[in-house]
Amino acid sequence: MYKIPESVLVVIYTEDMQVLLMERADKAGYWQSVTGSKDFPDEALQVTAMREVQEETGIVVADQPDAVPPSHLSDWQVTNVYEIYPVWRHRYALGVTTNTEHVFGLLVPSAIPVKLAPREHVQYRWLAYREAADLCFSPSNAEAILQLPHHLAR
């Protein structure tokens, strides 16, 4: 089954603007926030974001004890359309070369435990937002992180 070329980018951050970044397992030195495609065309973007956060970090976003409340997940109303890196195009149907990415932010407690999905990421770091932006390989991910102060001011 091919990936759907519509995805989410979730910037996970704390109140003091520390941002979670993870290094990709399939590309050493490529650091990023949580990303992931819809599982099916009608999947709500918020559902995609919550699912991907849980799959990649072990952080649960739900109305239940010991979870991050869904109200802490916000749609930043930013959509990026970008060319899919050639190294990952084989995951998409023949002829698909662009992806539409929707940006979300997730406010988490500073001591939240992170459990990476080993097939996706090999390590993680909490960094000040500017450092995190500088480390990202993806320009759209870096730009989203740099917008964090604007979203906290709301």
Side-chain angles (χ1 to χ4, degrees), residues 11-139:
V11 177
I12 299 176
Y13 64 94
T14 61
E15 280 187 357
D16 63 350
M17 293 196 295
Q18 294 290 306
V19 173
L20 177 67
L21 285 188
M22 302 165 297
E23 183 180 19
R24 293 185 67 99
D26 62 358
K27 198 79 170 152
Y30 275 43
W31 289 84
Q32 67 179 72
S33 295
V34 168
T35 62
S37 296
K38 288 181 166 188
D39 272 354
F40 51 91
D42 294 337
E43 184 176 39
L45 291 168
Q46 184 172 357
V47 171
T48 304
M50 294 186 321
R51 176 179 49 75
E52 288 293 336
V53 165
Q54 186 169 355
E55 288 175 4
E56 294 187 19
T57 69
I59 297 170
V60 176
V61 181
D63 283 320
Q64 63 187 47
D66 299 323
V68 176
S71 62
H72 287 212
L73 178 68
S74 57
D75 184 342
W76 286 0
Q77 300 297 309
V78 174
T79 302
N80 302 304
V81 177
Y82 62 86
E83 187 171 337
I84 299 165
Y85 285 86
V87 68
W88 292 303
R89 276 207 197 132
H90 68 278
R91 297 176 177 176
Y92 298 86
L94 189 62
V96 173
T97 60
T98 60
N99 183 69
T100 301
E101 171 184 80
H102 304 273
V103 181
F104 287 78
L106 178 64
L107 174 62
V108 299
S110 58
I112 196 160
V114 174
K115 184 178 179 197
L116 297 179
R119 292 181 58 206
E120 294 196 45
H121 300 100
V122 294
Q123 63 178 318
Y124 71 90
R125 294 182 190 170
W126 288 99
L127 297 166
Y129 84 100
R130 287 186 184 275
E131 287 180 77
D134 287 344
L135 189 57
C136 285
F137 79 93
S138 162

